[in-house]
Amino acid sequence: MPHFIVIGHDAPTDADFSLDDLPGVGRLDLLARCVNAGLLLSHGLRADTMVSLVMQDTATVRFHGGEIGGLNPDERSIAGVIRTALQRLDGRGSLPTGVSTKTDGLEPLLQAVDGHLFMLDEDGDPFDGARVDGDATFVLSDHREFTARETSLLEEYGAESVSLGPEPLHADHAITVAHNRLDTAGAT
Amino acid sequence: MPHFIVIGHDAPTDADFSLDDLPGVGRLDLLARCVNAGLLLSHGLRADTMVSLVMQDTATVRFHGGEIGGLNPDERSIAGVIRTALQRLDGRGSLPTGVSTKTDGLEPLLQAVDGHLFMLDEDGDPFDGARVDGDATFVLSDHREFTARETSLLEEYGAESVSLGPEPLHADHAITVAHNRLDTAGAT
């Protein structure tokens, strides 16, 4: 099962925001596109995939492809689902189906990794989907670089630094390409 | 130079719409993501790429990566640029930098193709970026299938039907993967 962990350095940790300016809400536009890229196929869902958004290392919102049932692909709809999940962290409302939350950051996610652990980095070794013979967790950073602490934590947990090509890709584009490498290698 | 032509079967042909419900405006969310996928790198633009959105076969909005200067990546911002361009078709305002419009549909775009012409289709032959030795034009359909007329027009102009993998991809994801195949093949 592919699991994409996206680190949102400026991402919101509470639900007190408008959906009219997603870039202004800690680049929630980008995080929403990462959920789209991780879970959506044309007219279908990637039921075997999870996407975890780590919000400022204090909250995690996880989308379970196999449980979510349906998801509109546009940024505003996905951001609305994230907002509903964050409301639940505040004790309000209920969680959307197929979404879970934790008041945790990156490290507990890394502790739970079973299988390959990759960090996507422009300077990493070329990623070959055919090498993945089981579960794979990919950690990506949002519009910022990984911090020194994140890099050292990832190294501590044995993350392999991999690149998807010569051009620096947005996190959501990187998820799309990683999925495609796994698809074409028949690894998923 | 890669050129991505996206056929928007329900796309707006005038500027009379709100940015608050992009899926309801002929899936303008998807078309905006196609522009994002075609033109944006992390912290940069793909200056050698063009994206043409064909709106209901009656208007075309073209983004010229080498001229556009800058572009916010979120759907709402890109949809706003498209709306400004459509206003210009109505004789109002001025065109955004690096964007052009025509009251044309698909066929004039195909007539102008110089180099490889590909139609992206789940049932096509596997696409190998290394085969592209010059300009390449990719034609994609939005959330709908190509119509019979579009398919026959594409065949008439010699389009080769290619697939990017075993899973059916959204048009914007397909653009991301096609770019990556060209990037890694060193063809662009």
Side-chain angles (χ1 to χ4, degrees), chain A residues 49-134:
Chain A
T49 302
M50 289 196 304
V51 178
S52 294
L53 306 177
V54 180
M55 327 292 263
Q56 292 189 47
D57 212 30
T58 60
T60 297
V61 178
R62 178 174 293 179
F63 289 73
H64 306 256
E67 300 169 22
I68 201 163
L71 187 70
N72 287 323
D74 62 299
E75 293 168 11
R76 190 183 177 100
S77 295
I78 295 173
V81 176
I82 294 169
R83 188 169 66 173
T84 302
L86 290 173
Q87 277 171 344
R88 184 66 209 128
L89 271 185
D90 284 345
R92 292 178 287 155
S94 56
L95 277 174
T97 305
V99 180
S100 61
T101 55
K102 281 193 177 178
T103 50
D104 267 348
L106 178 61
E107 187 159 14
L109 294 177
L110 298 182
Q111 283 169 342
V113 167
D114 183 22
H116 297 274
L117 176 61
F118 299 105
M119 57 188 286
L120 287 173
D121 179 58
E122 293 162 31
D123 301 321
D125 296 324
F127 175 67
D128 177 2
R131 275 196 44 226
V132 178
D133 55 8

Side-chain angles (χ1 to χ4, degrees), chain B residues 97-140:
Chain B
T97 306
V99 180
S100 62
T101 56
K102 282 192 176 177
T103 50
D104 267 349
L106 178 63
E107 186 159 13
L109 294 177
L110 298 182
Q111 284 169 342
V113 167
D114 183 20
H116 297 274
L117 175 61
F118 299 105
M119 58 187 287
L120 287 174
D121 180 58
E122 293 161 32
D123 301 321
D125 296 323
F127 175 66
D128 177 1
R131 273 196 47 227
V132 178
D133 55 9
D135 286 348
T137 300
F138 300 86
V139 184
L140 304 94

Side-chain angles (χ1 to χ4, degrees), chain A residues 36 42 75 164 168 173 180-181, chain B residues 36 42 164 168 173 180-181:
Chain A
N36 169 319
S42 184
E75 293 168 11
L164 296 167
H173 297 168
N180 184 256
R181 296 275 175 93
Chain B
N36 170 320
S42 183
L164 296 167
H173 298 168
N180 184 255
R181 296 273 174 96

